[in-house]
Amino acid sequence: QPCAISEEAQIRNAAAECVGLLTYIETETMLPYLDELFQNGSMYARWTVADAMKLIFSRRVASSDHEVLGRALSNYLGPLLSAVEVDVRKAAIMATSNIIHRNPALIVSPCTNSLTECTILENVMPELLKAMEYRERIVIDVGYYKLYEDRGLPLRSQAMACMDTLLD
């Protein structure tokens, strides 16, 4: 777990890749670890979970794992898409795009953590729409002039790509 919550992005990326691929191979064994990582609460742990989900769903998931992974999606996807941190939201949107592209049956499966009967897609669609509107402009003072950076641009781009995949 120390690698999964490391401040260094390369270390977290390697940990997320390992966790994602191991979860794809041994779903029942790895989901408790993924849940523990999600419950950790740190930004780095949530980013690792979102990035691991991206890798889990980058391939077609066996139909025998649909139910258990559908429950995991219900629990993780909504909170990850509504996270405060832009990087966590971006990784969650990339995971959503992979789910829609490779495993469309999972994204329309029933949402288990919702008060109303709805699909996972209906549960996360408002978050995707919010991401398409997200703007965060920061000013960087570099002496004689100021640079303006739109930190929301990568998030909006990923959300648009996800919606494009959904429409296809």
Side-chain angles (χ1 to χ4, degrees):
Q1 189 170 2
C3 293
I5 58 173
S6 172
E7 290 184 18
E8 273 194 60
Q10 292 95 352
I11 295 172
R12 280 195 326 270
N13 201 6
E17 190 171 332
C18 291
V19 170
L21 293 176
L22 284 171
T23 304
Y24 177 77
I25 295 167
E26 289 291 330
T27 305
E28 293 286 339
T29 307
M30 290 300 294
L31 275 179
Y33 175 75
L34 207 61
D35 192 45
E36 179 184 325
L37 198 57
F38 182 75
Q39 298 301 329
N40 179 297
S42 77
M43 187 271 297
Y44 300 125
R46 287 193 311 271
W47 181 89
T48 302
V49 169
D51 206 42
M53 287 178 56
K54 177 181 73 173
L55 292 161
I56 293 167
F57 298 106
S58 64
R59 297 169 181 81
R60 293 222 185 267
V61 172
S63 59
S64 59
D65 292 333
H66 275 214
E67 185 179 337
V68 70
L69 285 174
R71 281 194 310 269
L73 283 177
S74 291
N75 293 334
Y76 304 151
L77 204 52
L80 290 173
L81 285 169
S82 62
V84 175
E85 301 86 5
V86 175
D87 293 334
V88 173
R89 291 172 70 186
K90 182 180 169 192
I93 289 172
M94 291 170 67
T96 305
S97 186
N98 278 353
I99 296 162
I100 292 167
H101 184 68
R102 302 273 188 219
N103 300 284
L106 277 173
I107 200 74
V108 293
S109 61
C111 188
T112 59
N113 67 345
S114 176
L115 297 175
T116 61
E117 289 186 29
C118 66
T119 64
I120 293 172
L121 180 61
E122 291 170 330
N123 199 28
V124 301
M125 185 60 87
E127 296 302 328
L128 286 174
L129 294 174
K130 284 180 194 173
M132 290 173 61
E133 298 172 357
Y134 181 76
R135 297 204 186 288
E136 180 184 344
R137 192 171 181 192
I138 61 171
V139 179
I140 304 166
D141 190 358
V142 289
Y144 293 112
Y145 57 94
K146 295 178 181 178
L147 295 174
Y148 297 93
E149 181 183 344
D150 184 2
R151 290 199 23 95
L153 182 62
L155 189 64
R156 289 193 308 273
S157 298
Q158 285 300 320
M160 290 294 284
C162 185
M163 291 299 281
D164 187 45
T165 304
L166 182 62
L167 291 174
D168 279 348

